[in-house]
């Protein structure tokens, strides 16, 4: 153990598997090839058109990349690029989510802004965006305003409405007053990918509505579902599938054996409760629209090939167990911020017991708490590649996050702890600007401010330049804070690719926290 003048503590640890970092266990190239081929096979079954409900995140599936080490966050969109000539994309957004400014927790922007972000990102990959569908439209002012904005940008927008009795009144749903009331989305390509900023947007309903309208137009169309999790051909209690339950604790999703698949084929597969519960209704809807149901089970509807691309089960199990611990801290913090349900905590605690882990299996937590105990102020710990843990303390110049970040860059660059990367002569004018001119009460520098200051120093200071060169090495590192961090610090850690957890404690006893 080493403690330098800068307040860093460096500890060498090893994981429970005997190494210092978790190894990869997922073949990403095989996945992209196998997945695109399987979707082409499913498209061929239906003929004219396939509506593919695309669950999860296309561009930034960080959950998948954490629990399936080797999976790239943009794997799914790269797979779609293999099908670009045949595919067009419909983005679905719930009008009620627009009205209430629902925010994506992982990247911190509202769903309507994420629609714009997704459009730009898809176009940047050379993929064709056909239109946007606003579901559950009820003339919400914000939804109308958003539609006008999209149309002014040259994007086609369609309205779908709430159907009374959905999803159980099949006769009413499959009628001119049900799906027939929705505006028909004009598509030009054979593979129509239906995606959304988040869950509950109405992707499946949009696909089925299109099937209804296509059947009226004598267009042969089909439906399939692409959900990465749960992975249908892994065991029910496999840590990867349990990590999915932890990630969706707020949605009350539960993994289950698919009874329809078991009855039809005598094979045990895994699906989640919502798809299993609604399948009898979907089966009847397919019969009414298509004349027969193409599927005998919810598992049949899926096209996910991820389970076939795991080559090191031990590695993905270890990664999934780590993710469940992170999700536990996330649930604690959500409840502390009055953004979550206390029942989520109990559910994730149960999942931790099922996979045999506790918070003691996350070394950065103990390191951060020990630093806080020694200094009497908030602290942050970061675990680097190789298992080294560095810490940062709160000082008059820097917040704990900024201090830990600088100490991590020093450790990665082999820079002595006592070396100043940024002179106090540079930090103090920034503090003066913050407090005396910009109205901030906290003079300490946040992580974004310290990185900007460091980048300025790098222009003339070779040591600071060396530290800047280490930033990319922070990706996939682990971090823990003894207090809830500001949105600014959370965002910086997220953008750096650092897996952050926090104790569910505010730094002050104020009622209002930014």
């Amino acid at each position: 153990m080493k403690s330098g003048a800068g307040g860093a503590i460096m500890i060498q640890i090893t994981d429970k598997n005997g190494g210092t970092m978790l190894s990869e266990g997922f073949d990403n190239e095989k996945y992209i090839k196998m997945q695109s081929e399987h979707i082409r096979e499913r498209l061929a079954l239906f003929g004219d058109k396939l509506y593919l409900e695309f669950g999860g995140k296309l561009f930034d599936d960080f959950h998948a990349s954490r629990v399936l080490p080797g999976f790239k966050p943009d794997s799914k969109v790269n797979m779609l690029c293999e099908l670009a000539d045949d595919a067009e994309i419909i983005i679905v957004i719930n009008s009620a989510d627009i009205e209430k400014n629902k925010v994506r927790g992982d990247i911190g922007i509202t769903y309507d802004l994420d629609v714009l972000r997704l459009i730009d990102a898809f176009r940047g990959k050379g993929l064709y965006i056909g239109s946007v569908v606003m579901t559950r439209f009820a003339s919400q002012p914000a939804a109308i305003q958003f539609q006008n904005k999209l149309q002014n940008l040259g994007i086609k927008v369609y309205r779908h409405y709430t159907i009374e009795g959905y999803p159980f009144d099949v006769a009413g749903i499959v009628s001119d007053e049900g799906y027939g009331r929705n505006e028909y989305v004009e598509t030009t390509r054979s593979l129509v990918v239906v995606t959304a900023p988040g869950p509950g947007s109405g992707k499946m309903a949009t696909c089925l509505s299109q099937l209804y309208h296509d059947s009226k137009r004598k267009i042969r169309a089909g439906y399939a579902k692409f959900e990465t999790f749960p992975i249908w051909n892994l065991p029910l209690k496999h840590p990867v599938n349990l990590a999915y339950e932890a990630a969706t604790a707020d949605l009350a999703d539960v993994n289950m054996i698919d009874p329809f698949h078991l009855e039809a084929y005598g094979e045990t597969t895994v699906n989640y409760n919502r798809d299993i519960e609604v399948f009898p209704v979907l089966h009847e809807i397919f019969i009414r629209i298509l004349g027969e149901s193409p599927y005998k089970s919810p598992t049949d509807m899926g096209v996910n090939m991820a389970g076939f691309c795991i080559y090191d089960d031990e590695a993905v199990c270890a990664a999934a167990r780590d993710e469940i611990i992170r999700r536990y801290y996330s649930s604690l913090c959500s409840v502390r911020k009055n953004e979550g349900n206390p029942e989520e905590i109990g559910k994730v605690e149960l999942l931790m017991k099922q996979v045999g882990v506790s918070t003691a299996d996350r070394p950065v937590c103990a390191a951060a708490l020990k630093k806080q105990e020694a200094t009497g102020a908030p602290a942050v710990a970061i675990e680097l590649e190789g298992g080294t843990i560095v810490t940062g303390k709160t000082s008059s110049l820097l917040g704990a996050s900024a201090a830990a970040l600088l100490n991590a860059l020093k450790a990665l660059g082999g820079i002595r702890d006592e070396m100043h990367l940024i002179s106090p002569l540079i930090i103090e004018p920034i503090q003066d600007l913050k407090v005396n001119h910009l109205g901030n009460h906290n003079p300490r520098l946040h992580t974004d401010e310290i990185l900007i200051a460091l980048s300025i120093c790098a222009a003339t200071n070779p040591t600071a330049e060396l530290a800047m060169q280490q930033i990319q090495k922070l990706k996939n590192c682990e971090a823990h804070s003894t207090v809830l961090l500001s949105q600014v610090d959370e965002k910086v850690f997220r953008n750096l690719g650092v897996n952050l957890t926090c104790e569910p404690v505010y730094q002050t006893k104020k009622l209002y926290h930014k």
Side-chain angles (χ1 to χ4, degrees), residues 90-259:
I90 295 174
I91 301 177
V92 178
I93 182 169
N94 188 324
S95 299
D97 290 342
I98 301 173
E99 188 69 20
K100 65 184 180 184
N101 287 318
K102 188 172 182 179
V103 173
R104 268 188 63 163
D106 55 344
I107 57 177
I109 64 173
T110 57
Y111 275 26
D112 55 340
L113 288 179
D114 196 36
V115 168
L116 301 178
R117 184 187 74 92
L118 288 171
I119 292 172
D120 286 341
F122 284 130
R123 287 176 172 173
K125 287 283 189 177
L127 294 166
Y128 172 56
I129 301 293
S131 56
V132 171
V133 174
M134 297 194 306
T135 60
R136 292 183 176 257
F137 183 79
S139 298
Q140 296 94 336
I144 294 172
Q145 184 178 12
F146 186 56
Q147 177 173 1
N148 292 336
K149 180 177 183 177
L150 291 173
Q151 289 174 334
N152 288 336
L153 293 170
I155 299 165
K156 295 179 182 178
V157 181
Y158 298 90
R159 296 175 176 179
H160 284 192
Y161 303 91
T162 300
I163 300 174
E164 188 175 349
Y166 189 88
F168 300 109
D169 180 11
V170 175
I173 294 167
V174 187
S175 70
D176 290 341
E177 291 73 36
Y179 288 144
R181 185 174 170 231
N182 291 336
E183 295 178 353
Y184 178 59
V185 182
E186 299 285 347
T187 57
T188 59
R189 300 190 181 182
S190 57
L191 177 63
V192 181
V193 175
V194 180
T195 187
S201 298
K203 299 185 294 292
M204 178 184 286
T206 299
C207 293
L208 297 179
S209 177
Q210 287 295 107
L211 286 185
Y212 175 83
H213 285 280
D214 282 344
S215 69
K216 296 283 189 180
R217 291 164 170 78
K218 307 301 181 185
I219 297 172
R220 292 191 309 149
Y223 164 81
K225 184 167 186 174
F226 182 23
E227 288 275 10
T228 311
F229 303 105
I231 295 181
W232 61 274
N233 55 343
L234 290 181
L236 179 64
K237 298 300 181 182
H238 191 283
V240 168
N241 282 339
L242 294 182
Y244 167 75
E245 283 198 35
T248 57
D250 58 328
L251 300 176
D253 282 350
V254 178
N255 298 335
M256 301 173 64
I257 298 297
D258 182 349

Side-chain angles (χ1 to χ4, degrees), residues 275-286:
D275 274 7
I276 291 172
E277 290 163 2
V278 80
F279 181 73
V281 179
L282 292 177
H283 188 268
E284 183 64 25
I285 289 174
F286 285 137

Side-chain angles (χ1 to χ4, degrees), residues 232-233 257-270 297 299-300:
W232 61 274
N233 55 343
I257 298 297
D258 182 349
F260 301 100
H261 203 82
L262 184 61
E263 180 180 359
Y265 306 102
E267 296 177 351
T268 300
T269 59
V270 178
S297 72
T299 301
D300 272 350

Side-chain angles (χ1 to χ4, degrees), residues 186-490:
E186 299 285 347
T187 57
T188 59
R189 300 190 181 182
S190 57
L191 177 63
V192 181
V193 175
V194 180
T195 187
S201 298
K203 299 185 294 292
M204 178 184 286
T206 299
C207 293
L208 297 179
S209 177
Q210 287 295 107
L211 286 185
Y212 175 83
H213 285 280
D214 282 344
S215 69
K216 296 283 189 180
R217 291 164 170 78
K218 307 301 181 185
I219 297 172
R220 292 191 309 149
Y223 164 81
K225 184 167 186 174
F226 182 23
E227 288 275 10
T228 311
F229 303 105
I231 295 181
W232 61 274
N233 55 343
L234 290 181
L236 179 64
K237 298 300 181 182
H238 191 283
V240 168
N241 282 339
L242 294 182
Y244 167 75
E245 283 198 35
T248 57
D250 58 328
L251 300 176
D253 282 350
V254 178
N255 298 335
M256 301 173 64
I257 298 297
D258 182 349
F260 301 100
H261 203 82
L262 184 61
E263 180 180 359
Y265 306 102
E267 296 177 351
T268 300
T269 59
V270 178
N271 217 293
Y272 69 106
N273 57 306
R274 283 185 290 156
D275 274 7
I276 291 172
E277 290 163 2
V278 80
F279 181 73
V281 179
L282 292 177
H283 188 268
E284 183 64 25
I285 289 174
F286 285 137
I287 291 174
R288 285 179 179 261
I289 294 175
L290 305 175
E292 63 178 357
S293 176
Y295 302 123
K296 295 181 180 180
S297 72
T299 301
D300 272 350
M301 297 192 300
V303 294
N304 180 29
M305 295 286 104
F308 295 104
C309 303
I310 295 171
Y311 64 85
D312 188 337
D313 187 67
E314 185 178 351
V316 299
C317 284
R321 287 191 289 265
D322 287 345
E323 177 68 4
I324 292 172
I325 300 172
R326 287 190 290 263
R327 293 291 182 174
Y328 173 66
Y329 278 105
S330 178
S331 294
L332 289 175
C333 293
S334 292
V335 171
R336 180 65 184 88
K337 296 175 183 178
N338 294 317
E339 296 173 355
N341 189 322
E343 293 179 359
E344 296 173 29
I345 298 173
K347 179 175 180 178
V348 183
E349 282 180 331
L350 180 60
L351 295 171
M352 289 171 65
K353 290 178 182 178
Q354 289 184 41
V355 298
V357 296
S358 70
T359 56
D361 294 299
R362 184 166 172 77
V364 283
C365 301
L369 291 168
K370 185 175 182 180
K371 186 68 173 180
Q372 176 177 263
E373 183 180 358
T375 62
V380 170
I382 300 176
E383 180 184 351
L384 308 176
E385 183 176 1
T388 297
I389 292 180
V390 300
T391 60
K393 66 181 182 180
T394 304
S395 68
S396 59
L397 295 179
L398 305 178
S401 296
L405 197 55
L406 286 181
N407 288 333
L409 296 178
K410 286 182 182 179
L412 290 168
I415 301 168
R416 295 196 311 274
D417 188 30
E418 62 270 17
M419 288 281 292
H420 282 299
L421 296 178
I422 306 171
S423 168
L425 295 177
I426 292 177
I427 295 177
E428 287 166 1
I430 299 175
Q431 290 182 314
D432 178 69
L433 174 66
K434 288 182 64 176
V435 175
N436 296 323
H437 301 284
L438 299 179
N440 285 285
H441 298 291
N442 179 9
R444 300 183 187 94
L445 268 59
H446 287 295
T447 48
D448 60 334
E449 295 162 336
I450 207 68
L451 288 176
I452 292 171
L454 181 63
S455 65
I456 293 171
C457 292
T460 56
N461 182 341
T463 306
E465 182 182 7
L466 175 61
M468 286 292 295
Q469 292 169 357
Q470 312 308 311
I471 288 179
Q472 62 183 356
K473 297 179 183 178
L474 292 169
K475 189 174 183 180
N476 298 323
C477 290
E478 304 294 327
H480 187 76
S481 168
T482 60
V483 296
L484 291 163
L485 295 183
S486 68
Q487 292 181 358
V488 169
D489 287 335
E490 283 188 356

